[in-house]
Amino acid sequence: MKYKRVMLKLSGEALAGQQGHGINAQVLAQIASDIREVYETNVQIGIVIGGGNIFRGVAASAQGMDRASSDYMGMLATCINALALQDALEKIKIPTRVQSAIQMAEIAEPYIRRKAIRHLEKNRVVIFGGGTGNPYFTTDTAAALRAMEIGAEILMKGTKVDGIYEQDPKKFPAAKKFDKLSYLDVMNKGLQVMDLTAVSLCMDNKLPILSFDLTKPGNVLKAVKGDSIGTLVQ
Ligand code: GTP
């Protein structure tokens, strides 16, 4: 394996499958089984999951809702997804711990960096809920931040697209896909991989980002092996 400790960022939408919102049990089971393939190779896995399948904070604030309030609702949505993923992983016998950036002691452990690292060392998959715990920050930024805090070697962003394209491949089928990019390319070209806060945090701390297609079974393992899939930003 190319990496020993990785941070996997899953978009909330990835859990929704074709239905577009909520949690699709079949899709969730597929993602869990993909994660198991990686787990079985003894790679340590941290996961940050978005909440867009349940609540899109930015969309609500665009419609006039207070941005901070809508972001807090989005953070709660990430905790729902974290518990769903924990359940799916534990059903297939993968030990997990959920840590939340927002205190909710009855539901999840609080986020404690050193404890998260200890869990990883004991081969538990650690799922980080609640984003960064602050409004105005995306779950991509949370993934970049947690990746650095736990000493992950790469941030692997699983999406519905197989990498970064010069234009939206759904609207422009002829758009060219990049295999490799620099952080500055991503920022200067305004490429839609992660928000600027997340990208610049990765750049400042030299954390590579791999954007890949999560919906294809087996891709998470390929990504961790270092196979050339998706787009690598470094
Ligand atoms: P080790 O001490 O390394 O063995 O870790 P551990 O996670 O097994 O021990 P701990 O006694 O801390 O946790 C036992 C279980 O309780 C685990 O499933 C934790 O996720 C859970 N847990 C620990 N702290 C909290 C908390 O503050 N809130 C909630 N809801 N669960 C917690």
Side-chain angles (χ1 to χ4, degrees), residues 117-134:
I117 293 172
R118 196 79 192 101
H119 287 322
L120 291 168
E121 287 167 352
K122 290 187 176 176
N123 284 323
R124 297 162 180 155
V125 173
V126 184
I127 307 167
F128 300 96
T132 67
N134 300 291

Side-chain angles (χ1 to χ4, degrees), residues 70-90:
S70 57
D71 280 358
Y72 279 121
M73 291 171 73
M75 285 182 234
L76 294 177
T78 70
C79 292
I80 294 175
N81 285 337
L83 293 181
L85 184 62
Q86 176 175 48
D87 180 79
L89 288 169
E90 297 211 322

Side-chain angles (χ1 to χ4, degrees), residues 28-103:
L28 189 61
Q30 179 59 52
I31 293 174
S33 117
D34 278 349
I35 293 170
R36 179 167 64 181
E37 286 183 346
V38 177
Y39 175 78
E40 283 169 348
T41 66
N42 290 325
V43 171
Q44 299 175 0
I45 310 163
I47 301 175
V48 167
I49 189 157
N53 54 324
I54 295 168
F55 190 77
R56 285 221 72 88
V58 179
S61 69
Q63 285 170 25
M65 193 170 185
D66 176 60
R67 170 77 193 261
S69 299
S70 57
D71 280 358
Y72 279 121
M73 291 171 73
M75 285 182 234
L76 294 177
T78 70
C79 292
I80 294 175
N81 285 337
L83 293 181
L85 184 62
Q86 176 175 48
D87 180 79
L89 288 169
E90 297 211 322
K91 271 200 187 113
I92 53 172
K93 308 267 179 296
I94 299 180
T96 64
R97 296 290 183 269
V98 175
Q99 290 199 344
S100 169
I102 296 174
Q103 294 262 359

